Amino acid sequence: MSDRKRSTALALASALAAGSAVLLAAPAAQAAVIDVAYDCKTPIGDKSAVSPIDIKAVKEGDGYKLTMSFQKGVSSSPVELGKGAMSPSAVILVEGAEKASVPVSGASNPEAIPANTPIKITDLSGTYKPKKSGKVNFTAGVLTIKALGTTTTCTPGNSPKPSLELDVTAAAGGGGGTQSGGSGSGGGDTLPQTGPTDSALALGTLGGTVLLSGAVGVLWLTRRGQRARS
């Protein structure tokens, strides 16, 4: 084998090895389109619909941008919904290394929706900031549709499987995020939050006090010096 061919083969092998290393370093993710059977409470009675749902995650900073896509319409309206008349939002449930619920929302309907036609939900997105590292899965939760002053609530009735499983990494210091906590019952007193923000405020207050004390000391020494000269 000539030196040129040998160099080419070595370069190709190195590139393949580097590519394999990148693939191995990438976080493991498993995604699936899941049929979600929604039971909807509407102003005109109960309705049901099944929509395949896809959830994707993209790393952004110390969190992950989640996008929830509906492949079929859900519910319907007895009257036409004009452009921008419908506002959708939902919750994505997180389980695994931690339990959380991530609120997601999307744009209003870009076009008018005819009466008695399944409502196509625009893509819904939100940010998930893990507080714990590990494997988590994301499952479609409650869907809320607001239109013409009314609210329709659609709850998954078939205990859908997760749409996405992902290895996540928490930010240094425990993170925090836009998601709410688990499904425990609330109602208790909220404890004051402590963390970097509070520390910064405390240090700022302390710094201001020291600065003020120093200024008073300088002023006192200046006046004392003036009295001594007089």
Side-chain angles (χ1 to χ4, degrees):
M1 180 182 293
S2 66
D3 292 341
R4 177 174 297 179
K5 289 182 178 180
R6 184 179 293 106
S7 299
T8 301
L10 290 174
L12 180 59
S14 299
L16 291 173
S20 300
V22 171
L23 290 175
L24 290 174
Q30 295 181 0
V33 177
I34 300 297
D35 287 340
V36 179
Y38 281 107
D39 296 328
C40 300
K41 301 291 185 180
T42 81
I44 58 172
D46 296 346
K47 292 182 176 293
S48 61
V50 176
S51 177
I53 289 181
D54 175 35
I55 298 176
K56 291 184 174 64
V58 177
K59 187 77 169 71
E60 286 190 353
D62 58 355
Y64 298 80
K65 179 181 179 181
L66 303 182
T67 301
M68 184 178 184
S69 301
F70 294 76
Q71 297 187 6
K72 288 185 179 180
V74 297
S75 191
S76 62
S77 172
V79 298
E80 179 178 313
L81 297 178
K83 178 181 178 180
M86 182 271 295
S87 177
S89 62
V91 171
I92 295 178
L93 303 178
V94 183
E95 292 188 342
E98 67 173 337
K99 287 189 176 182
S101 57
V102 182
V104 291
S105 59
S108 301
N109 53 305
E111 299 177 354
I113 302 174
N116 301 314
T117 300
I119 297 175
K120 178 66 172 69
I121 306 298
T122 55
D123 286 354
L124 309 181
S125 61
T127 301
Y128 165 59
K129 293 185 178 180
K131 296 181 180 180
K132 295 182 179 180
S133 298
K135 185 171 293 185
V136 296
N137 53 58
F138 303 92
T139 306
V142 175
L143 168 68
T144 302
I145 302 172
K146 293 185 177 181
L148 304 179
T150 66
T151 299
T152 294
T153 302
C154 299
T155 303
N158 61 334
S159 299
K161 295 180 180 180
S163 298
L164 176 66
E165 185 179 84
L166 183 68
D167 284 332
V168 299
T169 303
T178 58
Q179 73 273 14
S180 62
S183 58
S185 58
D189 294 334
T190 302
L191 295 176
Q193 295 182 352
T194 58
T197 302
D198 297 325
S199 299
L201 290 175
L203 289 174
T205 303
L206 176 60
T209 303
V210 173
L211 180 61
L212 181 60
S213 300
V216 171
V218 172
L219 180 62
W220 182 80
L221 288 174
T222 302
R223 290 182 176 178
R224 182 181 180 185
Q226 291 175 348
R227 287 198 299 269
R229 286 195 297 271
S230 60

